[in-house]
Amino acid sequence: LPNTYMHDQVEADDLLGIFATALRKRNEPYVIVSRDKDLRQIPGPWTWFDMEADFVDPAKAEHQFWKQALVGDGTDGVKGCPGVGEKTAERAIEDFDVTDPVGCWQKVVQIYAKKGQDDAYALQQARLVRILRAGEYDFNTREVQLWNPA
């Protein structure tokens, strides 16, 4: 039987992100089974019971993160960049070179600045929507390693 986990500090989607990326690093098989679009930030196989299986490649996963950094996550109460919805964010990130995270971050900061928000606010929003990956949470000390732009 598969293992089950409960945690009083880390959300389930973050636990899935941590476990999936740890398995990916070890080249072990896994499938993310969730309807939560946030988990499309994690590369690998992804499905839900009433949907066809999909494979989220690493570039697609990074694009999803940058899009959510702009849009936020209404379900989790993360506002994102004022006035930026799904379509605007998709257009904004379509030319992002995800192999250049510094360049992506600079573009995100510029978009926030145009809406009257500073880089500290943009960083807070990005951190709030980012799904944790292997090595970003220490289960012994119970500390999160916050995401920072490269």
Side-chain angles (χ1 to χ4, degrees):
L1 290 173
N3 293 327
T4 59
Y5 297 91
M6 286 183 57
H7 202 282
D8 61 353
Q9 186 174 351
V10 179
E11 287 188 48
D13 53 359
D14 288 311
L15 287 173
L16 286 169
I18 291 166
F19 296 149
T21 53
L23 290 168
R24 183 177 177 83
K25 284 181 179 180
R26 293 195 309 255
N27 222 14
E28 293 184 36
Y30 66 93
V31 176
I32 294 174
V33 180
S34 175
R35 182 167 281 190
D36 189 343
K37 71 180 178 349
D38 301 350
L39 284 160
R40 290 195 174 260
Q41 293 181 34
I42 304 300
W46 187 91
T47 192
W48 185 242
F49 298 105
D50 60 349
M51 300 167 64
E52 281 189 44
D54 188 15
F55 185 85
V56 179
D57 66 58
K60 192 174 178 181
E62 285 301 305
H63 272 97
Q64 179 67 21
F65 164 67
W66 292 114
K67 180 173 115 177
Q68 284 194 256
L70 290 169
V71 173
D73 187 337
T75 303
D76 289 338
V78 181
K79 296 182 188 296
C81 188
V84 175
E86 294 275 332
K87 291 188 189 304
T88 302
E90 285 173 12
R91 282 192 304 273
I93 66 159
E94 66 188 4
D95 68 337
F96 275 28
D97 175 3
V98 295
T99 64
D100 176 18
V102 172
C104 292
W105 176 244
Q106 289 170 343
K107 290 178 182 180
V108 165
V109 168
Q110 289 170 357
I111 293 166
Y112 271 87
K114 287 179 185 174
K115 299 293 186 171
Q117 299 296 328
D118 62 15
D119 57 341
Y121 180 78
L123 179 59
Q124 177 192 51
Q125 300 305 295
R127 284 177 170 170
L128 288 169
V129 299
R130 187 162 190 287
I131 301 297
L132 294 175
R133 286 137 174 95
E136 296 178 353
Y137 181 75
D138 186 318
F139 285 92
N140 294 318
T141 64
R142 300 171 63 85
E143 292 180 11
V144 172
Q145 178 185 335
L146 294 176
W147 177 83
N148 282 302

